[in-house]
Amino acid sequence: MNDDQTMNDMRETLAEIDTQIGTENTQKGKIDAKTNLLGLEIKALKDFFVSFGEKPFRAIQVFKWIHQRGVDNFDAMTDLSKALREKLQQRAEIRGPESSYDQCSLDGTRKWLLKLADGNQIETVFIPETDRGTLCVSSQVGCALNCRFCSTATQGFNRNLTSHEIIGQVWFASRHLSQRITNIVMMGMGEPLLNFDAVVAAMSIMRDDNAYGLSRRRVTLSTAGVVPQLARLSLAIDVSLAVSLHAPNNVLRNELVPLNKKYPIEILMQACKDYVADDRGNPARSHRHITMEYVMLRGVNDSPKHAKELIQILKGVPSKINLIPFNPFPMSRFICSEVHVIQEFQGILMRAGFITTIRKTRGQDIAAACGQLKGQITDRTKRSERMKQLYLKEEALWTEPQQVVC
Ligand code: SF4
């Protein structure tokens, strides 16, 4: 990519980000003829019952039927009177996404492409381990942020998911898995903090004891660094935070994560410190650390010098570092750092006192690792078309095959 193309693409990305930040709160999904109860937090569900003269405690009964027992049929709710079930049938529905693709990896990772009512598709991935089962959930159809190493970014952006489409992924997976979901990470398609209200509503259902009952350590929101929304998040809900850092200085991060031009590293790090420090006057709420995600790109961000810069910028930020071996995808120009380079990078960070893990790559045989899945997106940004044209042009110039060793 030459400098002019990079600058043009960067300008378009920042314009898309601005547009999306401006419209975030106006996109709450379609108003259905019937209320879809799936996305209602307990307070909203109580209000719904009160609105047609029912007692609020009915909401708790229905909430449990939906989220703890996975029921989508009011007739199955046997502790409700027949008259109430009939009223509910007239006014409401419980409608989750449908699976259009379901595949299981050799390592047990399971991937779904889920079809939404408007025909768009999103990705949801379940990663089983011996002591836990983690569900990776999407927050948007596509993504406007255009991180250079991300497969989702190449598809452009269409719209925010509604709260019922977000929690619907958890509800759907719970109904289709034999293993319990013990952890949820908002790390699928999209930037969760650019779909704030719907994401917070869905996470509140994840945390509710009458629904999925997950503790704050088991629900993680991952952000590229939408700084103004971090303070809002701290006020709205208590969850764990991960930051997609990926570069230790502004020059490189501007290139890899274009959002950095809007919120540079020093501002982002201060926001992280504030997030950790803000316990809302309740020590039980204190966040012990933030997970810093750092994708390992060969020859780009993986030198000892980069590790030392990373140590400098993370000074005073209570953090754990997660090194992520890059998963190549078509149209990506990066390759993964070599194993010994990743280990050396990890060693430097650990010697400086940072807990540093290397993420295990999962689901490679079904392209289910982070950023590898593709849904069908009506791309309002036309970015996928631009990327295709650019890729074809560069392919014509570049005949040497890429060697991927990861
Ligand atoms: S890494 Fe996350 S924020 Fe960046 S483009 Fe991909 S989905 Fe969006």
Side-chain angles (χ1 to χ4, degrees):
M1 202 183 290
N2 65 37
D3 285 352
D4 285 349
Q5 281 168 331
T6 306
M7 280 314 292
N8 282 342
D9 203 24
M10 196 87 86
R11 266 186 225 112
E12 277 163 1
T13 299
L14 288 172
E16 282 164 18
I17 293 167
D18 280 339
T19 308
Q20 219 221 311
I21 290 172
T23 58
E24 184 247 315
N25 287 326
T26 65
Q27 296 192 3
K28 303 227 167 117
K30 289 178 191 166
I31 297 166
D32 295 320
K34 287 186 177 183
T35 304
N36 190 349
L37 303 189
L38 197 52
L40 297 189
E41 297 170 68
I42 192 64
K43 183 178 176 316
L45 196 55
K46 283 179 180 171
D47 290 346
F48 171 77
F49 275 85
V50 170
S51 74
F52 60 96
E54 289 293 333
K55 297 269 188 267
F57 77 87
R58 294 289 178 205
I60 297 174
Q61 286 173 287
V62 170
F63 202 56
K64 286 182 175 176
W65 277 109
I66 297 172
H67 296 292
Q68 294 188 342
R69 302 189 198 178
V71 162
D72 62 356
N73 176 359
F74 295 117
D75 279 336
M77 300 182 182
T78 46
D79 54 359
L80 304 184
S81 69
K82 193 160 182 290
L84 177 54
R85 282 184 263 153
E86 277 166 10
K87 275 194 208 173
L88 285 170
Q89 242 131 24
Q90 285 159 14
R91 291 172 168 80
E93 63 181 352
I94 303 156
R95 186 157 47 88
E98 286 170 20
S99 168
S100 55
Y101 188 74
D102 179 350
Q103 200 174 8
C104 202
S105 158
L106 291 172
D107 66 19
T109 299
R110 191 151 173 200
K111 163 178 96 169
W112 293 281
L113 276 183
L114 298 178
K115 195 168 177 188
L116 307 174
D118 63 0
N120 274 303
Q121 296 189 108
I122 52 165
E123 306 157 359
T124 306
V125 181
F126 181 70
I127 303 146
E129 286 171 280
T130 39
D131 57 342
R132 61 166 71 185
T134 303
L135 192 71
C136 182
V137 170
S138 295
S139 57
Q140 298 182 311
V141 182
C143 186
L145 295 197
N146 203 10
C147 301
R148 298 291 184 226
F149 49 84
C150 173
S151 173
T152 299
T154 62
Q155 302 166 67
F157 171 74
N158 185 273
R159 67 172 174 86
N160 282 334
L161 296 181
T162 62
S163 58
H164 70 74
E165 289 168 335
I166 298 169
I167 200 68
Q169 297 167 65
V170 183
W171 181 81
F172 175 95
S174 304
R175 283 162 55 108
H176 287 80
L177 290 167
S178 48
Q179 189 178 339
R180 220 179 127 238
I181 296 168
T182 61
N183 295 65
I184 296 176
V185 289
M186 298 295 311
M187 285 185 194
M189 299 166 77
E191 164 53 61
L193 290 183
L194 290 180
N195 184 13
F196 192 88
D197 292 343
V199 164
V200 167
M203 290 194 306
S204 138
I205 298 172
M206 294 169 199
R207 294 223 39 211
D208 197 307
D209 285 342
N210 289 313
Y212 303 93
L214 299 177
S215 74
R216 68 185 167 99
R217 287 194 184 85
R218 293 181 181 274
V219 178
T220 301
L221 181 145
S222 172
T223 177
V226 188
V227 166
Q229 304 289 51
L230 282 174
R232 270 185 86 197
L233 182 69
S234 185
L235 287 173
I237 193 162
D238 189 15
V239 291
S240 297
L241 186 67
V243 169
S244 296
L245 193 55
H246 307 309
N249 61 63
N250 282 323
V251 174
L252 185 54
R253 195 162 191 266
N254 285 348
E255 179 63 29
L256 296 178
V257 184
L259 182 68
N260 194 71
K261 288 214 150 187
K262 206 168 176 58
Y263 307 114
I265 286 177
E266 45 294 349
I267 292 178
L268 176 58
M269 290 303 109
Q270 186 55 52
C272 288
K273 284 182 200 166
D274 295 345
Y275 185 83
V276 174
D278 184 5
D279 62 6
R280 305 275 96 218
N282 175 6
R285 267 195 69 151
S286 64
H287 298 266
R288 289 183 308 178
H289 64 261
I290 292 175
T291 302
M292 297 292 170
E293 294 161 347
Y294 195 98
V295 66
M296 297 301 292
L297 305 169
R298 189 184 300 185
V300 176
N301 66 352
D302 62 351
S303 71
K305 182 174 162 282
H306 290 123
K308 286 172 195 155
E309 281 183 294
L310 191 54
I311 291 165
Q312 287 308 312
I313 64 164
L314 291 181
K315 267 197 178 138
V317 186
S319 41
K320 260 183 19 184
I321 303 163
N322 192 15
L323 303 178
I324 306 167
F326 175 65
N327 279 296
F329 56 89
M331 290 199 277
S332 119
R333 277 157 196 78
F334 300 110
I335 53 178
C336 182
S337 307
E338 289 167 287
V339 172
H340 72 89
V341 172
I342 300 177
Q343 286 168 345
E344 191 186 339
F345 201 90
Q346 179 190 36
I348 295 170
L349 298 171
M350 290 189 61
R351 284 193 291 280
F354 288 95
I355 297 172
T356 308
T357 51
I358 300 174
R359 185 184 290 174
K360 261 193 266 168
T361 298
R362 303 289 305 262
Q364 272 195 311
D365 54 317
I366 57 166
C370 282
Q372 280 199 315
L373 301 177
K374 270 190 187 285
Q376 275 174 12
I377 291 174
T378 312
D379 175 16
R380 290 194 307 163
T381 63
K382 307 273 183 265
R383 186 190 302 145
S384 51
E385 192 46 42
R386 291 201 307 272
M387 292 291 291
K388 214 179 338 169
Q389 293 307 327
L390 193 60
Y391 178 69
L392 291 174
K393 229 187 268 175
E394 291 199 351
E395 275 287 274
L397 294 172
W398 189 21
T399 50
E400 212 175 292
Q402 286 189 51
Q403 181 70 32
V404 173
V405 194
C406 192

